[in-house]
Amino acid sequence: DAKTTQPTSMDCAEGRAANLPCNHSTISGNEYVYWYRQIHSQGPQYIIHGLKNNETNEMASLIITEDRKSSTLILPHATLRDTAVYYCIVRGTGGGNKLTFGTGTQLKVEL
Amino acid sequence: NAGVMQNPRHLVRRRGQEARLRCSPMKGHSHVYWYRQLPEEGLKFMVYLQKENIIDESGMPKERFSAEFPKEGPSILRIQQVVRGDSAAYFCASSPEFSGANVLTFGAGSRLTVL
């Protein structure tokens, strides 16, 4: 699976958009980009995933660059409850389902 | 549709005792994964199981740890002769039959404290 690089931490003002970047320059053609988050002490929560096209759901938007070497998770209107560690994971479609979590980005949403 | 159910949520054991953690996957999910999170550390994959089969146990410690997912009933993560270093949060996740993109649904975790 391709390695990902994320900033260690980010701050965001409540009500503003939170844009979390992820680099995955070694991604291959059949690998998806997944985003999960872990709010303190809770189980990880799936947010969104994509292959090539941008994706949007009720939680967030995922913007994947044309060359697929990086992506950005956008929380359009961050709230205090969005404070969490956000994990960007790249995973292919073969060889089993396990996801490998890196260190993620600690997002702190403040008033 | 209940999510992934883990129990107990909190478990306290003394050194040398056994710990059994249970995980009931989401309805319709046939794949189970166990992860461990030591205090102030990241999530580490332990084992991936399908019904009655261990598919990938590359993250399991070589001794004292075992996992099963029987035909009937929940998946069990068993830790024998626990030591203080086993104190951690253990998360279970499940997914449906593999079909391309893979989304894991996680439980709330079981927190093991070894005295």
Side-chain angles (χ1 to χ4, degrees):
Chain A
D1 297 335
K3 178 180 171 59
T4 62
T5 304
Q6 299 177 253
T8 303
S9 63
M10 293 182 65
D11 294 333
C12 178
E14 189 177 35
R16 305 296 294 266
N19 298 287
L20 292 94
C22 179
N23 286 320
H24 31 79
S25 58
T26 60
I27 193 170
S28 59
N30 68 344
E31 290 182 315
Y32 286 79
V33 180
Y34 299 87
W35 283 84
Y36 285 75
R37 72 180 181 184
Q38 187 177 25
I39 297 170
H40 182 62
S41 298
Q42 298 181 19
Q45 177 187 24
Y46 164 79
I47 302 173
I48 199 167
H49 74 279
L51 183 62
K52 294 181 181 179
N53 300 320
N54 298 337
E55 301 288 344
T56 296
N57 62 20
E58 65 278 3
M59 288 183 69
S61 295
L62 174 60
I63 308 298
I64 302 175
T65 57
E66 193 168 340
D67 63 7
R68 302 187 68 239
K69 292 185 177 182
S70 65
S71 60
T72 301
L73 177 74
I74 301 172
L75 308 178
H77 304 287
T79 70
L80 298 178
R81 288 178 293 180
D82 292 320
T83 293
V85 179
Y86 287 77
Y87 298 96
C88 170
I89 303 167
V90 173
R91 183 68 178 92
T93 56
N97 292 359
K98 75 180 185 185
L99 298 177
T100 300
F101 288 80
T103 53
T105 296
Q106 172 66 65
L107 175 69
K108 184 185 292 185
V109 181
E110 300 171 311
L111 292 171
Chain B
N1 181 17
V4 176
M5 304 302 292
Q6 291 189 247
N7 66 83
R9 293 292 310 278
H10 299 275
L11 182 63
V12 178
R13 286 286 179 265
R14 296 189 181 278
R15 282 178 295 171
Q17 292 184 319
E18 179 179 288
R20 285 189 179 225
L21 309 178
R22 290 176 291 278
C23 170
S24 296
M26 283 187 70
K27 186 176 181 180
H29 285 191
S30 56
H31 299 209
V32 165
Y33 315 78
W34 286 93
Y35 287 78
R36 178 167 67 173
Q37 188 167 37
L38 296 169
E40 306 303 321
E41 294 191 14
L43 289 149
K44 301 297 183 187
F45 168 79
M46 299 181 74
V47 62
Y48 160 41
L49 311 99
Q50 295 177 20
K51 285 285 187 181
E52 301 184 281
N53 287 304
I54 296 175
I55 307 302
D56 181 351
E57 55 181 349
S58 58
M60 285 282 270
K62 298 296 182 206
E63 297 179 345
R64 302 186 298 107
F65 285 72
S66 62
E68 63 177 11
F69 188 17
K71 186 176 181 180
E72 301 291 337
S75 176
I76 306 287
L77 180 68
R78 181 185 179 201
I79 310 171
Q80 295 178 287
Q81 300 176 317
V82 296
V83 301
R84 288 209 174 119
D86 297 332
S87 295
Y90 292 83
F91 293 99
C92 170
S94 71
S95 71
E97 190 66 33
F98 191 58
S99 58
N102 172 48
V103 175
L104 269 58
T105 302
F106 283 82
S110 292
R111 279 149 186 84
L112 172 65
T113 301
V114 180
L115 302 177

